[in-house]
Amino acid sequence: IALSGGPAQILCACPNVRGGAWRRDGVILLSGPGAIMRISDTGGTATPVVSVSSPARGNLYFLRDGDHFLYASTRGIYLGSLAAPSPSASQQGPQPLVAHDVGMFVYVSSEDQPEGHILFQRDGTLMAQPFDGVKLALAGPAFAIAENVGTFGASPTGVLAYRANQANLGSQLSWYGRDGKPLGRVGPTANYANLQLSLDGKTVMVDRSDSNTGQHMWAGDLARGVFSRPNPLESQEAGPCVLPDGRVAFTYSSPGIPGD
């Protein structure tokens, strides 16, 4: 679809496409089910370039020569070529450049230097692996950039943006005015979800998870900032819904009883 608007053009019939890369001359790489495929930006039939067991999030990056590209599979990050399609990465094919379970990666090239960097996560840490885009080989050991990283991205200038992993850091319940200004905080920092306010505005119902005790429903007194569990049993609760009469509906799972 054009940036100026208008109807979308269907390029090909290819279900479950996860992402792709677009070369300046009109060649598009697609990360499809079981294969990296190529197609023209004018449409047509997608043809396989390399078979893979399971591409990870569709990350694809053309390198400077326009022929080679980087792609991800369950075993790591690989180097592929349009001129010489490589064998399956899931069998006795090429070895990964970066061998680990890839969830997401970003390739950042330099405009005036042959060396770029492959950015990826390892146990919640954002790593950078130097890569020579001319020699098509790793150019040094990987090094850490930031901890507790969620999603991330980078520009060709080297500027990095990322979201902190809230699952590790927790979150804070806070009041904000309609103008966006903070008015105050409520309760401790924890892993919250499914927030619901009572109609009188005096109580907040929320899910709170803990690695030791699991997930439970908590009620917060907004005036005092004190939280307590309405259901102190060993069951796991989730999804509180405050009814108009003040009662609370929720799902729970009792010990020894599967399901909710």
Side-chain angles (χ1 to χ4, degrees):
I1 186 171
L3 290 177
S4 58
Q9 176 187 354
I10 298 177
L11 296 179
C12 65
C14 183
N16 300 322
V17 173
R18 301 184 182 184
W22 196 345
R23 205 169 65 182
R24 291 182 180 274
D25 64 352
V27 174
I28 294 178
L29 283 177
L30 300 176
S31 179
I36 304 296
M37 299 173 291
R38 65 177 293 173
I39 191 174
S40 169
D41 61 6
T42 60
T45 301
T47 58
V49 176
V50 56
S51 298
V52 292
S53 56
S54 179
R57 298 192 180 183
N59 301 105
L60 291 166
Y61 293 92
F62 273 113
L63 299 181
R64 184 175 299 182
D65 63 7
D67 167 52
H68 292 88
F69 57 91
L70 298 175
Y71 65 97
S73 186
T74 52
R75 290 175 51 202
I77 300 171
Y78 292 82
L79 177 68
S81 171
L82 291 177
S86 56
S88 171
S90 62
Q91 300 173 0
Q92 299 299 320
Q95 295 300 309
L97 295 170
V98 180
H100 75 108
D101 185 11
V102 175
M104 174 183 178
F105 85 96
V106 170
Y107 176 63
V108 184
S109 61
S110 175
E111 296 180 352
D112 56 355
Q113 298 292 331
E115 183 178 301
H117 289 85
I118 300 172
L119 306 182
F120 61 94
Q121 289 172 289
R122 178 174 289 161
D123 298 327
T125 299
L126 182 59
M127 307 291 294
Q129 179 82 59
F131 179 79
D132 192 315
V134 175
K135 296 180 179 179
L136 303 177
L138 299 180
F143 56 91
I145 297 179
E147 303 287 340
N148 294 318
V149 174
T151 55
F152 63 93
S155 75
T157 63
V159 176
L160 173 70
Y162 69 91
R163 179 183 60 82
N165 191 343
Q166 296 299 318
N168 294 333
L169 301 180
S171 55
Q172 174 69 59
L173 299 180
S174 304
W175 285 110
Y176 282 82
R178 291 181 180 273
D179 57 1
K181 294 182 179 180
L183 303 178
R185 297 181 177 183
V186 179
T189 300
N191 292 319
Y192 295 110
N194 300 323
L195 181 149
Q196 284 253 321
L197 284 172
S198 62
L199 294 181
D200 60 11
K202 297 180 179 180
T203 306
V204 60
M205 302 298 302
V206 67
D207 288 341
R208 198 165 87 184
S209 58
D210 182 88
S211 59
N212 296 320
T213 62
Q215 182 168 322
H216 297 287
M217 177 180 62
W218 289 74
D221 185 319
L222 294 176
R224 297 186 301 154
V226 177
F227 281 72
S228 61
R229 287 187 56 199
N231 181 29
L233 302 179
E234 295 182 4
S235 61
Q236 303 281 307
E237 311 101 17
C241 178
V242 181
L243 303 178
D245 61 4
R247 293 181 298 164
V248 178
F250 60 93
T251 61
Y252 74 97
S253 178
S254 297
I257 302 177
D260 292 334

